[in-house]
Amino acid sequence: MKKIYFLMVALAGLMLLANTTRTTRGKYGMVVGTPAIKSISGLAFGPDGVLLVGDSKSATVFAIDTKDATASQTAPVEIKNLDQKIAALLGTEVQNITIQDIAVNPASKSIYCAVQHSDGTPVILKIDGDKIQPVNTKNVAFSSLALNNAPAEDAKDKRGNSVRVAAISDIGFADGKVLVSGLAGQEFASTFRSIPFPFSDKQDQATLEIYHAAHGKYETLAPIRTFTTAEIKGKKYLVASYTCTPLVLFPMDELKPGTHVKGRTVAEMGSGNSPVDMVTMTKGGESFLMMANSARPVFKVKYKSIEAYQGSLTTPVEENFATAGVDFVSLPVTNVVQLDKLDDTRMVLLQRRSNGSLDLWISSERYL
Amino acid sequence: MSVSIPKDLVGDVPDDSIPALVGVRLLKTDSSTAIFGNYENGDREIRFSPLIPFTHGLHYGVWVRGRRVGSFEIPAVNATDRPELTSVYPSGDTLPENLLKIHLYFSRSMREGQSGKYVTLLKNGKDTVSGAFLDLQPELWNADRTKLTLWLDPGRIKRDLQPNQRLGTPMQRGSQYKIMVSQDWQDTRGAHLSKSFEKSFVTTGKDNLSPVPTRWKLGIPKKATSQRLIIIFGESLDYGLLQEVFSIKNASGATVSGKWSTVMEETQCAFEPEHPWQPGKYVLQIENRLEDLAGNSLKRPFDRDIRSKRPVRTEGRYTEIAFQIP
């Protein structure tokens, strides 16, 4: 065999450079360039196939036009050992990658998947049927919004901004707004932002601290872990699950910049467990909250029960919350690590099977 | 990193045919998968840059028109060049039983999502406290992945929440605990920690009270010196927040530049001015989000009993303490 000459060239840092090549603003105020994505904590979709990327490391939300806005010709299928297939396609071994999030593009029904290499390099993949392809993030139409809205005093580097620890815990899109929940490592508090999309230059965003009454006895301030939105009796709600497990409802119209909103705790989902993902599904005119958990099966909660329960929360609840709260059903599906909505009645699940295989599959409507 | 494939191995190919004709694959039993990356068609070579860096210790092959034309190995990580866990906060050895946060500092960028595997809390030298730390995805790292904050499960610490009632608090007063960090934790290059780490401490009772700045003592420096201003809290406060929440303003409202440091197991902070102190009035400004070790901030305790008539301690963003350099 002819001896191959090869040369390794260090390109470290290259992908961190945002080289915007054109400044004319297109649809949604986007420009063509390369978004400087440093990490991917969460993926969500905005309108017309716009992919929203929550980047904890640069405290930025990116909106990328995927141009994937028409229904895919390929129906989603089960993919066994998804992590191993992705590792092979990236030229590494499975222990060196983590699947950070999956999100279904509602326009095309393609599944988008955020993967992180052990050195931190983020990759976005698109899954159509059984075909996995990289999503190009070079010279694409995009816009971005820095979440660091700290006043100038804060931004001053007292002893290096680099020690600041924070993460985006979830990202979503509802009614023309990008919703972002965040955690700061330093303080035990919640930040929830509702950002109008397209992003405006004046960064008109709501930053909220949220209190929730657990038990009617102790008022606590805690960070949101994951959330979804739902309509209950014609009113829009943020359905949030917390780092300390309660499930809390907030009326969307009360989430205004600078306000403190008191949420209503509707359930506690168990000890030693944390919610992973939540989606709102509908079947036969009834809607359901589906929730994947770290140490429990997938829960199904009827929004009807939440509605019924809401009345009783207008006054502090005296009884023990360990047994109070809305009823929920445990589905015979455990170890779901990622969950998203495919359509009203079907979900995309990434599940660690009992044989160790990490499989992507589509639930049928019988789970509702 | 990228790999250059000489043109004489490939021949003349149009740009759009490169991915169909040329591929880099991981060398293993089933080497049918070409790895994702970008091809750059140069005059004398085609340069392939993989989407993620090639992995240390693995072998790769280059295929042209269905035939393997060469291979290369990415050398394993130098085993002597290892990351270290440089410090852990809080640094004291007597901590409240409702301790909320632990900060770990590393000398290199570490792999994320591993803390559950490698950090354990041991009680009385033998029992592992299961579910002590909150399993957060993503974990709370800084941008360069050298500092990690872990939370002891707040659902277990908060009074009367279900995890608190079912499992109890992660720690109880009057016990000995050890935080253990395994040597198996790898940095982003795949090198293990140079050694494992242990921090022992004993627990005291619950701390449910917010820190009160009016009770702090100030050690006032002399004029025309660069002596340090000392702030004595009377209790340990959260190291992570102490890095961020203080500033000193002079009489005209300008920020005095200088260096902050944390001393005496985070019970004191010291400020060393860049320029000698001028006599006059100053204000120490403290952001009210500052917390003690149990998550009680200047604004409010971690758990506030809403039946209590006591109002929330402090409103607004800052608390100010005036002082004078005579």
Side-chain angles (χ1 to χ4, degrees), chain A residues 55-205:
Chain A
D55 178 354
S56 294
K57 295 290 182 284
S58 63
T60 300
V61 175
F62 293 94
I64 300 167
D65 185 1
T66 60
K67 313 253 184 241
D68 177 23
T70 50
S72 167
Q73 300 303 306
T74 331
V77 295
E78 175 167 6
I79 300 180
K80 290 196 185 299
N81 292 306
L82 181 69
D83 52 349
Q84 291 187 19
K85 292 200 166 77
I86 290 174
L89 287 165
L90 293 175
T92 190
E93 291 168 333
V94 73
Q95 70 268 22
N96 296 321
I97 60 153
T98 321
I99 297 177
Q100 302 282 91
D101 201 9
I102 58 167
V104 177
N105 179 351
S108 67
K109 302 295 177 198
S110 300
I111 300 162
Y112 284 67
C113 177
V115 177
Q116 186 175 291
H117 179 233
S118 55
D119 78 342
T121 307
V123 176
I124 306 172
L125 302 172
K126 178 182 165 190
I127 304 172
D128 256 326
D130 63 354
K131 198 169 172 208
I132 305 170
Q133 281 178 305
V135 173
N136 174 35
T137 53
K138 281 188 185 137
N139 295 317
V140 289
F142 81 101
S143 61
S144 64
L145 185 88
L147 293 178
N148 196 351
N149 64 338
E153 191 62 37
D154 242 348
K156 263 184 207 162
D157 203 352
K158 285 174 192 152
R159 243 181 295 167
N161 261 341
S162 68
V163 295
R164 185 159 292 199
V165 170
I168 289 170
S169 62
D170 204 359
I171 180 167
F173 184 80
D175 298 326
K177 295 205 166 84
V178 180
L179 308 174
V180 184
S181 61
L183 302 167
Q186 282 84 341
E187 63 215 282
F188 192 73
S190 195
T191 57
F192 186 83
R193 293 176 172 88
S194 165
I195 306 161
F197 182 80
F199 302 136
S200 65
D201 284 342
K202 59 182 167 84
Q203 298 203 6
D204 178 23
Q205 63 188 36

Side-chain angles (χ1 to χ4, degrees), chain A residues 116-298:
Chain A
Q116 186 175 291
H117 179 233
S118 55
D119 78 342
T121 307
V123 176
I124 306 172
L125 302 172
K126 178 182 165 190
I127 304 172
D128 256 326
D130 63 354
K131 198 169 172 208
I132 305 170
Q133 281 178 305
V135 173
N136 174 35
T137 53
K138 281 188 185 137
N139 295 317
V140 289
F142 81 101
S143 61
S144 64
L145 185 88
L147 293 178
N148 196 351
N149 64 338
E153 191 62 37
D154 242 348
K156 263 184 207 162
D157 203 352
K158 285 174 192 152
R159 243 181 295 167
N161 261 341
S162 68
V163 295
R164 185 159 292 199
V165 170
I168 289 170
S169 62
D170 204 359
I171 180 167
F173 184 80
D175 298 326
K177 295 205 166 84
V178 180
L179 308 174
V180 184
S181 61
L183 302 167
Q186 282 84 341
E187 63 215 282
F188 192 73
S190 195
T191 57
F192 186 83
R193 293 176 172 88
S194 165
I195 306 161
F197 182 80
F199 302 136
S200 65
D201 284 342
K202 59 182 167 84
Q203 298 203 6
D204 178 23
Q205 63 188 36
T207 304
L208 304 169
E209 276 187 302
I210 302 166
Y211 299 81
H212 70 266
H215 240 159
K217 275 189 202 156
Y218 301 108
E219 190 182 52
T220 63
L221 195 61
I224 290 174
R225 179 85 161 237
T226 175
F227 64 83
T228 182
T229 52
E231 205 173 295
I232 302 172
K233 284 187 181 161
K235 206 170 149 80
K236 294 250 165 63
Y237 285 89
L238 173 74
V239 184
S241 117
Y242 275 77
T243 50
C244 45
T245 84
L247 189 63
V248 185
L249 290 190
F250 300 91
M252 289 291 274
D253 57 6
E254 286 180 26
L255 300 179
K256 294 198 179 96
T259 51
H260 297 310
V261 185
K262 193 171 268 186
R264 288 168 175 170
T265 304
V266 291
E268 285 194 61
M269 314 309 275
S271 38
N273 175 46
S274 52
V276 173
D277 267 327
M278 292 197 293
V279 289
T280 297
M281 309 296 290
T282 14
K283 184 183 154 188
E286 207 179 338
S287 49
F288 306 90
L289 173 69
M290 311 298 282
M291 186 185 215
N293 297 282
S294 69
R296 297 291 150 90
V298 174

Side-chain angles (χ1 to χ4, degrees), chain A residues 1-2 4-11 38-39 41 56-57 88-93 95-97 116-121 123 125 132-134 138 151 153-154 156 158-159 162-169 183-188 209 211 214-223 225 243-246 268-272 274 294 320-322, chain B residues 1-4 6 8-9 26 28 33 35-36 38 47 49 51-53 55 58 60 62 68-72 74 100-101 111-112 134-136 138 140-143 145 147 149 151 154-155 158-163 165-167 188 238 240-247 249 255 260-262 287 289 291 299-300 302-307 317-318:
Chain A
M1 185 184 293
K2 197 167 174 181
I4 187 170
Y5 160 74
F6 62 85
L7 178 72
M8 297 296 169
V9 186
L11 292 173
K38 289 185 187 167
S39 67
S41 308
S56 294
K57 295 290 182 284
L89 287 165
L90 293 175
T92 190
E93 291 168 333
Q95 70 268 22
N96 296 321
I97 60 153
Q116 186 175 291
H117 179 233
S118 55
D119 78 342
T121 307
V123 176
L125 302 172
I132 305 170
Q133 281 178 305
K138 281 188 185 137
E153 191 62 37
D154 242 348
K156 263 184 207 162
K158 285 174 192 152
R159 243 181 295 167
S162 68
V163 295
R164 185 159 292 199
V165 170
I168 289 170
S169 62
L183 302 167
Q186 282 84 341
E187 63 215 282
F188 192 73
E209 276 187 302
Y211 299 81
H215 240 159
K217 275 189 202 156
Y218 301 108
E219 190 182 52
T220 63
L221 195 61
R225 179 85 161 237
T243 50
C244 45
T245 84
E268 285 194 61
M269 314 309 275
S271 38
S274 52
S294 69
N320 190 334
F321 252 7
Chain B
M1 268 198 287
S2 62
V3 57
S4 291
D8 57 358
L9 281 178
L26 192 57
K28 51 179 188 176
T33 312
I35 65 183
F36 289 151
N38 298 306
R47 183 183 285 180
S49 311
L51 270 193
I52 63 166
T55 303
L58 294 185
Y60 296 86
V62 177
R68 192 172 126 192
V69 296
S71 66
F72 58 94
I74 306 298
L100 183 63
K101 287 165 281 182
R111 288 195 178 195
E112 290 184 60
L134 182 67
D135 166 29
L136 266 181
L140 288 162
W141 288 93
N142 64 339
R145 299 173 174 90
K147 182 195 166 188
T149 298
W151 286 348
K158 278 183 182 293
R159 287 174 286 182
D160 284 2
L161 281 180
Q162 200 186 68
Q165 292 190 332
R166 294 267 172 93
L167 301 170
T188 52
D238 179 66
L241 281 161
L242 286 174
Q243 313 301 305
E244 297 180 356
V245 298
F246 290 119
S247 64
K249 311 277 180 196
T255 303
W260 286 94
S261 54
T262 309
E287 285 182 52
R289 61 191 179 99
E291 292 174 3
K299 268 189 222 168
R300 58 195 344 269
F302 179 71
D303 248 355
R304 191 171 76 96
D305 190 335
I306 56 173
R307 296 162 305 177
R317 195 175 155 78
Y318 301 105

